[in-house]
Amino acid sequence: MKKTQVGRTSAGKKAAVNEPPEQPAAATKAAAKKAVTKKAVTKKATAKKTAAKKTAAKKTAPKAPVKKAPAKKAPARKPESRVAMVRRARRINRELAELYPYAHPELDFTNPFELLVATVLSAQTTDLRVNQTTPRLFAVCPTPEDMAAMDPERLEELIRPTGFFRAKTKSLLGLSAALRDRFGGEVPGRLEDLVTLPGVGRKTANVVLGNAFGVPGITVDTHFGRLARRFGWTTAEDAEKVEADVAEIFPKSEWTMLSHRVVFHGRRVCHSRKPACGACPIAPLCPAYGEGETDPEKAKKLLKYELGGQPGQRLKPPPGYPGKPAPPMAPPVAAS
């Protein structure tokens, strides 16, 4: 009887040792909460890793080519007869006259000799740079006799800002001596005489004749030639051929002012690289419309000189010019 009780008591004690002790309710809840939180953190980290992998995949994946909208092309024009072209050309001239009633040569001068010299200097540079250079030059040598007697190195230094100063010095000394020796120190008023002077071609001769002597002439510079081709007045590249083609379209009385208007338009609106087609008043008459910027707001930003609110090229513009005079050349900085 005693053994049985003792056995049961030992068994009961052993079972009690193997069973986990009962924990308080608060501790159980805290453990459960901790497990849930840990699971949520793990889930969130997994989601972040998945998102990062997707982002990396997007970055490394080849991008699909972006399809560009086709560029707008100028509307096709019907073949134009000679008569229709002449009428359109003359209308362009009339509209340019309304747009630039103040058109003028953009070189500062007070007499034929100054204009001749300034035109020779304008090769391969801007009229503005010439206008900034000639005041000092004419202060030293105002006549052909004075210039012909100049020391070449001194003359080179005076005209250096215009570029190609050695070749231009040679031309200026040669033409000044020719004016002194063959024409009594006066600039001749005939084309055939002017083109015999060193450094003087048809373009320079026509500038001098038209603006110093009132003799009509067509000045074919880079701007005039470019616009004459864009307007469909000629297909020629040679300056003399362009001059001949345009001369057949317009009356002689219009030649000089036509030259100024076309050059003005080429410098202000119809630029070489990026014409401002969207701001061009004669766009409806131009076969080349669409070669440049056609958006009106963007095109306005391309306008130059007085149309763009900037100074012109002349330090002393003629009366009626609506733009600002150009500033004189800044004095050279003294070496320290």
Side-chain angles (χ1 to χ4, degrees), residues 44-125:
K44 193 173 181 181
T46 305
K48 281 185 178 180
K49 286 181 181 179
T50 305
K53 286 181 181 179
K54 288 182 179 180
T55 305
K58 284 182 180 179
K59 287 182 179 179
T60 55
K63 294 182 179 179
V66 179
K67 291 184 179 180
K68 293 183 179 180
K72 291 183 179 180
K73 295 182 179 179
R77 289 177 176 265
K78 295 179 181 178
E80 189 176 42
S81 68
R82 170 74 182 179
V83 173
M85 185 274 288
V86 171
R87 286 176 179 168
R88 180 175 56 81
R90 294 184 178 184
R91 186 178 169 190
I92 287 176
N93 183 38
R94 291 194 297 271
E95 298 210 8
L96 289 178
E98 292 181 9
L99 181 61
Y100 307 111
Y102 50 87
H104 58 272
E106 294 191 89
L107 291 169
D108 288 329
F109 69 98
T110 60
N111 57 56
F113 176 64
E114 289 186 358
L115 179 58
L116 176 61
V117 170
T119 308
V120 171
L121 291 176
S122 68
Q124 304 297 317
T125 190

Side-chain angles (χ1 to χ4, degrees), residues 266-329:
R267 285 175 170 166
R268 286 150 179 79
V269 180
C270 196
H271 312 131
S272 175
R273 293 185 180 179
K274 202 168 184 181
C277 294
C280 180
I282 60 170
L285 299 171
C286 181
Y289 173 78
E291 285 188 15
E293 180 58 66
T294 56
D295 180 85
E297 292 304 315
K298 291 181 181 178
K300 282 181 184 178
K301 296 178 182 178
L302 300 175
L303 300 178
K304 300 286 183 66
Y305 302 112
E306 73 280 358
L307 295 187
Q310 302 150 352
Q313 299 206 76
R314 293 189 68 168
L315 277 65
K316 298 177 180 179
Y321 177 65
K324 302 173 185 176
M329 188 181 297

Side-chain angles (χ1 to χ4, degrees), residues 210-247:
N211 298 286
F213 294 99
V215 177
I218 295 173
T219 303
V220 182
D221 66 357
T222 56
H223 301 290
F224 191 97
R226 179 177 72 253
L227 268 65
R229 287 185 287 274
R230 283 180 177 171
F231 292 159
W233 299 350
T234 183
T235 58
E237 295 286 340
D238 177 72
E240 288 193 31
K241 185 64 170 67
V242 172
E243 181 184 342
D245 289 345
V246 175

Side-chain angles (χ1 to χ4, degrees), residues 121-133:
L121 291 176
S122 68
Q124 304 297 317
T125 190
T126 63
D127 287 356
L128 171 59
R129 181 59 69 184
V130 174
N131 292 336
Q132 291 174 327
T133 303

Side-chain angles (χ1 to χ4, degrees), residues 132-246:
Q132 291 174 327
T133 303
T134 50
R136 288 178 60 210
L137 174 64
F138 294 139
V140 175
C141 46
T143 67
E145 292 83 0
D146 296 325
M147 188 168 288
M150 281 283 292
D151 175 67
E153 291 186 2
R154 171 65 172 146
L155 187 55
E156 284 180 4
E157 191 59 33
L158 287 170
I159 68 170
R160 182 183 291 269
T162 66
F164 300 94
F165 55 90
R166 290 191 179 88
K168 291 177 181 179
T169 293
K170 187 177 179 181
S171 295
L172 292 183
L173 290 174
L175 71 85
S176 298
L179 292 177
R180 178 195 62 195
D181 299 338
R182 291 165 41 205
F183 297 101
E186 299 293 331
V187 177
R190 298 194 314 163
L191 179 68
E192 52 268 35
D193 292 331
L194 284 169
V195 294
T196 66
L197 300 173
V200 178
R202 286 185 67 90
K203 184 195 86 169
T204 299
N206 280 328
V207 170
V208 173
L209 290 173
N211 298 286
F213 294 99
V215 177
I218 295 173
T219 303
V220 182
D221 66 357
T222 56
H223 301 290
F224 191 97
R226 179 177 72 253
L227 268 65
R229 287 185 287 274
R230 283 180 177 171
F231 292 159
W233 299 350
T234 183
T235 58
E237 295 286 340
D238 177 72
E240 288 193 31
K241 185 64 170 67
V242 172
E243 181 184 342
D245 289 345
V246 175

